[in-house]
Amino acid sequence: INIISLMALIIVIGIIVDDAIIVAENIIQYRERGLSPLDAASQGIADVYKPVITTILTTFLAFSPLFFMPGIMGKFVYVIPVVITIALSFSLLEVSLALPAHIKGSLSAISSPTSEQQPNFQRRIIQPLRQWYQRSLGRALAHRYKVCVVFLIAMISTFALAFAFMEFELFPGSAADQFYIQVELPPTTSLS
């Protein structure tokens, strides 16, 4: 364990937590719909298993070029994709096996809420936001090709602006302008 491996672990912790939240939320939704705890746990993980695997694979693919970085920096940076791969692999096992089993035990206390049981905050703020989001998502999916084209144009424009106006060099190859040498010699050594 060193600074680089801890940095890689900090990077991947957010992804691990997000996957667990997605699975847990989906399981709880099925329980609130009236499924038994076992059925809610199995159906909840079955629904989101493919998206969770996809996020893990895309994260691995995003960091995999660091395996092939040449030079001395490549030897230092090599640890980052190794730590991320190991952490994501264990996270996938935990989120697909252990988490549903742990949640299943506490699902018996959750029942399907009626509209009178929902907190006032949820009825006044969360429900309208959820309905607005569902309408917006429905419109975006109805015009999915237009939305994809707009986002593709935005992405290409962003890359074009970045290449035109931003200078970026990940690891500069130029040598240092100054360097200091500290040497200890016996007291009788001459200056030359």
Side-chain angles (χ1 to χ4, degrees):
I1 295 177
N2 58 21
I3 292 175
I4 296 174
S5 62
L6 284 176
M7 180 190 71
L9 202 55
I10 289 169
I11 289 171
V12 81
I13 280 175
I15 299 163
I16 291 171
V17 170
D18 285 346
D19 289 344
I21 289 171
I22 289 167
V23 170
E25 180 69 25
N26 205 39
I27 291 171
I28 290 171
Q29 275 186 351
Y30 274 106
R31 177 60 182 154
E32 287 176 347
R33 292 179 190 168
L35 268 66
S36 69
L38 181 61
D39 291 338
S42 61
Q43 187 62 40
I45 187 63
D47 275 1
V48 294
Y49 191 70
K50 287 181 184 177
V52 166
I53 286 181
T54 303
T55 60
I56 287 173
L57 287 176
T58 55
T59 304
F60 171 72
L61 289 175
F63 285 97
S64 62
L66 295 178
F67 278 123
F68 309 108
M69 184 177 273
I72 195 103
M73 283 307 294
K75 292 179 180 174
F76 284 110
V77 178
Y78 182 81
V79 153
I80 294 173
V82 170
V83 169
I84 287 176
T85 302
I86 292 170
L88 288 176
S89 299
F90 279 107
S91 165
L92 180 62
L93 287 174
E94 193 277 332
V95 85
S96 59
L97 299 174
L99 182 65
H102 287 132
I103 291 177
K104 181 193 144 301
S106 61
L107 287 179
S108 57
I110 298 173
S111 62
S112 175
T114 63
S115 61
E116 292 83 28
Q117 291 174 328
Q118 290 178 342
N120 196 19
F121 171 77
Q122 187 174 356
R123 275 198 314 264
R124 278 195 349 240
I125 295 172
I126 302 296
Q127 287 300 90
L129 281 175
R130 181 178 288 168
Q131 290 167 356
W132 172 82
Y133 177 72
Q134 286 175 340
R135 286 192 307 269
S136 301
L137 189 61
R139 277 188 239 122
L141 289 173
H143 303 287
R144 60 185 167 272
Y145 297 116
K146 292 177 187 175
V147 171
C148 287
V149 168
V150 167
F151 277 104
L152 194 61
I153 290 171
M155 185 180 71
I156 291 170
S157 302
T158 304
F159 284 142
L161 287 172
F163 285 126
F165 297 108
M166 292 176 65
E167 293 182 21
F168 177 74
E169 190 173 349
L170 185 60
F171 298 109
S174 63
D177 295 334
Q178 295 180 350
F179 60 92
Y180 299 95
I181 300 175
Q182 183 175 353
V183 179
E184 247 182 77
L185 298 169
T188 58
T189 307
S190 69
L191 186 59
S192 60

